[in-house]
Amino acid sequence: MRAAARARSAVQRIVDRTSAWLHSHPFVLHSRPFSSSPSDDDESPSTSSAPNQTERRRRKGSTPIDPLTPPPPASEFPPYEPRDFFRYELIHQSKKSAARVGRIHTPHGVIETPGYVAVGTNGALKAVPHQELAAAGVDLMFANTYHLMLQPGPDLVASAGGLHEFIGRDAPIITDSGGFQVFSLAHAGEKDGEEMKSRRPSKHKDAAGLLVRLDEDGVLFKSYRDGSRVVLTPESSVEAQKSLGADIIIPLDELPPYHIDRAVLERSVYLSHRWEARSLKAHLRDVRQQAMYAVIHGGVDRDLRRMSVEYLTSLPFDGFAIGGSLGKDTAELVELLGHLMPQLPKDRPNHLLGIGDVGSILGSIPHGVDTFDSTFPTRSARHGTLLTRTRGRLNIRRSENSTLHEPPCWECACRLCRHHTVSYLHHLDKAKEPMMWTLATEHNLHYMGWLMRTQREKILSDEM
C-alpha cells in the first residue's frame, strides 16, 4: 500500500523523534521475544492452560519481524458462510438514515438491535442479578475474559458446563479477548485521560502499570490479584473463550491510545491484524457453536480504518466490532462512524466496543450501529446518577432531593419507581446501604432497555 511505503521510509526518522515516548510505553513492539524459559529477572509466567506444541515452538524460535509485515492473506481462510446457529436478520432499514432494526440469532436466544449490552465483568452485574436484564429488555450480557481467566479460571468454568451454566443464564453472552484490560494495565501517561476510553490508574493498576512486555507472540502482564506473571496470546485467548463458551467471542488485539504517532499506530494495526488472523485460525479449528467478531482498528485515522476494514472483511468473521481509540469525545466518534460504517458488510452484525453513554448511542444509531457495551449506566447508578425519562439526569445526592417524596420517574416500571421515592434513595445513599446500588442500577438498566426500544420504534416508522 502507498501509505505503508511512505511509513517505511519515514520510520527511522519518526522513531528517533519519539524514542523517549516509545521506551516509556510497553504496548509498542519490542525486539525481545517471549521465551519458553524465563530470563534471570523474570518470574515464571503462568497461563490459563498449557500452550500447545506449535505455540511452544514459536516462542522458542521467535525472532523479531518487520512490524509492517502483512497478515496472512484471505486465501489462507475458507470463504465466509452463514452459520446455522448464528445469523443476522434485517427487519427494517430506515429510509432516512443508515439506522436499521434487526435480530441476531444465537444458540441462547435472540438479540434485538439496536441494543444496549450490559457489562458483567466477572460474570455478574454489580449489585443486581443478571435475571433483571430480561425484565429491563436487555438481551445481551458482556463478560470479561481477562478477569475470568484470573478468577476463577476458564477450566473451572468449563467443568461447570460453561459460563451459561456456571452463572445460571439462558440468554446470549459475549466475551472479549482480554486485550482491552491488558492494555489498560499499561503505564498511564499524562494525556491518557483525553479520550473516551480512559487508561487512568484504577484499583486494578497503579501509575506504574502492570503490563510487562509485548511482542509478536502476545503479552506478558502481572496479575492484579497476586502479582503472578501471565502470558496471553491469540491462541490462549481463544482457548480461554472456548472454555467459557460464550455465544460471541472476540480475537486478541492491541489497544493503542488516542494520542499516538501515526507511524506507531500503523504498526499497531498490522500487529492487531496478525493477531486477529491467528485468533480466527484457532477459532475455525474448533468452532463449538460460537461466533467470532473481528475488531476494526486504526484510531481516528481514516486511511488506517479503511485498511483495517478491507482486510478484516475479507476474512470469514461472523460480525465486526469497532474497537481501538474512538476519539476524544462524542462528536469525533460520530464523525468517525460516518466514514467507517458504510464500509462494513450489511449481512452481518456490528458492535461498538466500550461506548454506551446516551449521547454517543443516539449519535451512532443513525450510522447503523447494532449493539453497544458500556459500564456507563450501571457505574453512574452506583455513583448516584439516575437516567430518567421525565427529569433527565438526576443526581440523588443533591441536598434538595432529601425531601423529594416522588418516584424518580413516573413513567418507569422498575422496582424503584413503582415502590420508592427519590428521598428514600437519597437516604439509602447517605446511609451507605447496599440497597441503594441495587435499586439505582436496576432503574438505569430499565432506562437503557426503554431507550433502545424507543429507538427501534423510531427506525421502524422511518422517523430516524
Side-chain angles (χ1 to χ4, degrees):
M1 294 179 64
R2 189 177 303 172
R6 288 199 304 268
R8 287 188 181 92
S9 66
V11 164
Q12 188 59 52
R13 174 174 55 81
I14 295 170
V15 169
D16 290 342
R17 188 174 69 244
T18 60
S19 59
W21 185 94
L22 290 168
H23 285 296
S24 67
H25 287 70
F27 50 75
V28 179
L29 282 170
H30 293 289
S31 60
R32 178 186 178 189
F34 279 116
S35 171
S36 56
S37 301
S39 62
D40 293 337
D41 62 342
D42 282 347
E43 302 171 22
S44 298
S46 63
T47 58
S48 58
S49 57
N52 60 36
Q53 188 174 4
T54 301
E55 194 170 343
R56 286 197 298 268
R57 281 199 304 268
R58 184 175 60 251
R59 290 183 194 172
K60 185 174 182 180
S62 176
T63 57
I65 68 169
D66 181 347
L68 297 180
T69 298
S75 60
E76 292 189 11
F77 298 83
Y80 169 72
E81 292 184 2
R83 308 283 188 185
D84 57 0
F85 58 84
F86 183 90
R87 63 185 176 90
Y88 174 77
E89 177 189 5
L90 178 66
I91 302 300
H92 181 75
Q93 175 67 62
S94 172
K95 296 179 175 62
K96 282 192 173 182
S97 70
R100 62 183 192 171
V101 171
R103 295 190 181 106
I104 304 172
H105 297 264
T106 80
H108 289 90
V110 174
I111 304 162
E112 302 286 347
T113 69
Y116 165 70
V117 181
V119 177
T121 299
N122 288 293
L125 303 172
K126 285 183 169 57
V128 174
H130 62 76
Q131 288 81 1
E132 186 66 24
L133 295 178
V138 176
D139 301 318
L140 183 58
M141 176 177 162
F142 207 113
N144 297 117
T145 297
Y146 165 80
H147 293 282
L148 292 170
M149 183 174 64
L150 299 180
Q151 169 64 39
D155 290 341
L156 186 144
V157 174
S159 71
L163 193 56
H164 289 88
E165 291 292 327
F166 186 57
I167 70 174
R169 177 172 171 78
D170 187 21
I173 298 175
I174 178 174
T175 51
D176 62 0
S177 67
F180 176 79
Q181 285 75 27
V182 167
F183 290 107
S184 294
L185 298 175
H187 170 71
E190 294 180 359
K191 298 182 180 180
D192 282 336
E194 293 182 358
E195 62 180 309
M196 300 185 76
K197 297 182 180 180
S198 175
R199 296 163 176 267
R200 287 168 290 189
S202 70
K203 69 178 182 179
H204 292 156
K205 67 171 181 178
D206 54 24
L210 296 176
L211 180 56
V212 177
R213 189 169 69 244
L214 178 151
D215 66 12
E216 188 66 27
D217 280 345
V219 292
L220 174 66
F221 64 94
K222 292 185 291 185
S223 167
Y224 69 87
R225 290 187 172 273
D226 59 11
S228 61
R229 297 197 172 193
V230 182
V231 172
L232 184 67
T233 69
E235 293 78 11
S236 67
S237 172
V238 171
E239 185 176 1
Q241 292 183 83
K242 293 296 176 185
S243 296
L244 297 176
D247 301 276
I248 303 169
I249 64 176
I250 303 291
L252 184 64
D253 58 333
E254 186 185 20
L255 180 66
Y258 175 72
H259 61 92
I260 188 173
D261 188 281
R262 204 265 185 191
V264 180
L265 177 60
E266 183 177 24
R267 294 167 63 171
S268 173
V269 173
Y270 274 94
L271 175 63
S272 286
H273 286 178
R274 294 192 297 271
W275 280 0
E276 291 189 54
R278 284 167 51 190
S279 298
L280 181 58
K281 288 183 176 181
H283 167 61
L284 293 176
R285 287 194 291 267
D286 185 17
V287 174
R288 296 192 195 183
Q289 288 207 327
Q290 291 176 298
M292 176 176 275
Y293 284 15
V295 182
I296 308 295
H297 273 278
V300 294
D301 186 288
R302 292 192 172 192
D303 290 336
L304 292 179
R305 284 284 179 181
R306 184 183 301 109
M307 178 183 75
S308 190
V309 169
E310 289 175 353
Y311 175 65
L312 294 173
T313 57
S314 74
L315 304 184
F317 284 103
D318 302 294
F320 300 93
I322 299 99
S325 176
L326 298 169
K328 62 181 181 295
D329 53 30
T330 295
E332 193 165 23
L333 165 67
V334 172
E335 181 182 0
L336 172 65
L337 293 175
H339 162 73
L340 174 63
M341 294 302 296
Q343 303 174 53
L344 294 182
K346 300 299 185 287
D347 62 338
R348 279 166 274 179
N350 63 72
H351 179 83
L352 188 58
L353 282 165
I355 301 294
D357 63 280
V358 175
S360 296
I361 287 177
L362 296 181
S364 302
I365 288 176
H367 293 290
V369 176
D370 293 324
T371 50
F372 309 77
D373 78 275
S374 175
T375 60
F376 170 76
T378 51
R379 186 181 65 248
S380 296
R382 298 194 303 275
H383 287 82
T385 297
L386 301 182
L387 309 174
T388 75
R389 311 182 204 179
T390 55
R391 305 179 195 268
R393 287 196 190 186
L394 177 62
N395 183 354
I396 59 95
R397 293 177 175 174
R398 295 178 65 91
S399 59
E400 60 264 32
N401 289 327
S402 65
T403 57
L404 183 57
H405 307 309
E406 298 176 357
C409 180
W410 293 100
E411 299 177 5
C412 180
C414 78
R415 178 167 51 164
L416 170 63
C417 293
R418 283 186 291 114
H419 299 295
H420 303 294
T421 63
V422 174
S423 57
Y424 177 62
L425 197 63
H426 177 91
H427 154 67
L428 292 179
D429 184 64
K430 290 201 70 173
K432 300 188 184 304
E433 286 287 345
M435 181 60 71
M436 180 272 175
W437 280 22
T438 299
L439 292 173
T441 300
E442 286 180 357
H443 170 85
N444 279 2
L445 288 172
H446 277 256
Y447 174 87
M448 295 305 295
W450 166 83
L451 177 70
M452 305 311 294
R453 185 170 62 254
T454 57
Q455 300 310 299
R456 293 193 293 269
E457 291 170 353
K458 288 180 179 180
I459 297 169
L460 288 170
S461 59
D462 291 314
E463 297 176 35
M464 178 187 295

